[in-house]
Structures are given as C-alpha cells and as structure tokens.
Amino acid sequence: MLTFEEKIDILDSFPELTKKEVSLGRVNYHYEESVIDKKNVVYHLHPNGNGFVYAGQLKGYQTDDKGMVNIRNYSESELRSIVYEAIESLSPQEDPEELTMEEWVNFNDQTLVVMKEGELWNVYAGLDLDGTFNSYPEATDFLEKEGFTRAY
C-alpha cells in the first residue's frame, strides 16, 4: 500500500489537477476542465491512505453509487492508470470525424494505431493491419476490449 505522501506525489504529477485541502487533513484533486458537473477526480484522500477516485464514466471498475472507487490498496501503476482514465473520461473528446490517426497502448507498452482511411477505421500493429472497422466507436470498442487505452 502506498503511503499518503506517495499518493500525494503521484497525484501532484498530474498538471491537469488542482489540489484542494479539506477537513481532517484530507485532500481533494479537482479537474477544472471537466465537461460534466463532476470536478472531483480524487475525493477525500486521507492521511491513513484511504481515498476515492471518480470512475463513474469508466468501464471495468467496481464503483459505489456515486461512481467512486476506493484506492486505499492501489499500487503506483494502478493509481496512475485510474487517475489518467478518470481525467480522460472528463475531458472534451475530439470529434472522430476530424481525427485521422491515434495511438493506443496497453499495460505491456504495446502500441496500436487507429487510422481513418477513406470511410473505414483501420487498426495497425506496426505495419501490420490488425483490424478494419466501419466506425470509430467500433474500432475503439475493439481496442478497449483488448486492454488498450488512448496514448497522450
């Protein structure tokens, strides 16, 4: 389990987040650019290591009724990943019609590229075609099911 200080150091490394001290030594981290009313990415991080990350827009996480995930026992990579995903889920999304190419990575640092070619969306692993899809949502659904997230 990471200490409170280690979690603070990790969260402070996200320039998009604003640290807000609240009662009882707890800390919140806000994402001011959120496209929904939810601004808290990290809620009530306590000196005992307990705290919550908003994952209400994410797939694959067990959330409470407010969309929060308890991060008390998270490792550094797990914490970085969920915070990154939470920020992305609250960020303005590019219009897929304007997008022409996008990189996706998985936990093994493997990279796939989604590329719009004509009316189709192709997924490449290096120079090899990995899949062809009729729409951007179909391509991204495939990538998410394969354990990939957008790289930035």
Side-chain angles (χ1 to χ4, degrees):
M1 180 174 87
L2 297 170
T3 67
F4 177 71
E5 292 76 18
E6 290 169 328
K7 288 178 182 174
I8 292 290
D9 288 343
I10 292 166
L11 297 169
D12 284 346
S13 75
F14 287 90
E16 308 94 325
L17 299 179
T18 304
K19 184 178 180 179
K20 307 274 185 181
E21 294 187 15
V22 292
S23 63
L24 303 174
R26 296 176 297 188
V27 178
N28 290 346
Y29 281 83
H30 293 198
Y31 178 53
E32 301 299 336
E33 304 299 318
S34 177
V35 295
I36 63 173
D37 286 340
K38 187 61 125 175
K39 301 262 188 234
N40 275 338
V41 171
V42 178
Y43 180 70
H44 284 180
L45 180 62
H46 192 277
N48 71 8
N50 202 32
F52 301 89
V53 170
Y54 178 69
Q57 306 290 319
L58 304 178
K59 297 177 186 173
Y61 291 98
Q62 183 101 17
T63 63
D64 65 15
D65 60 338
K66 295 179 183 176
M68 305 302 265
V69 172
N70 189 304
I71 58 166
R72 180 181 184 93
N73 296 317
Y74 270 40
S75 68
E76 178 178 354
S77 62
E78 290 171 324
L79 181 58
R80 284 187 187 283
S81 180
I82 193 171
V83 170
Y84 174 81
E85 290 178 52
I87 292 169
E88 284 302 305
S89 75
L90 299 172
S91 297
Q93 302 299 311
E94 291 183 47
D95 181 357
E97 294 305 315
E98 296 176 15
L99 183 68
T100 57
M101 187 179 90
E102 184 175 74
E103 287 189 349
W104 288 62
V105 296
N106 67 8
F107 288 110
N108 296 322
D109 287 329
Q110 294 172 315
T111 301
L112 295 180
V113 174
V114 178
M115 188 177 298
K116 185 172 185 181
E117 297 178 308
E119 296 299 314
L120 298 174
W121 292 89
N122 292 322
V123 175
Y124 289 93
L127 297 175
D128 298 326
L129 180 64
D130 196 36
T132 299
F133 303 90
N134 292 318
S135 68
Y136 177 78
E138 285 180 23
T140 58
D141 186 50
F142 164 77
L143 289 164
E144 289 172 354
K145 286 179 181 173
E146 295 296 318
F148 287 81
T149 57
R150 276 192 291 174
Y152 288 94

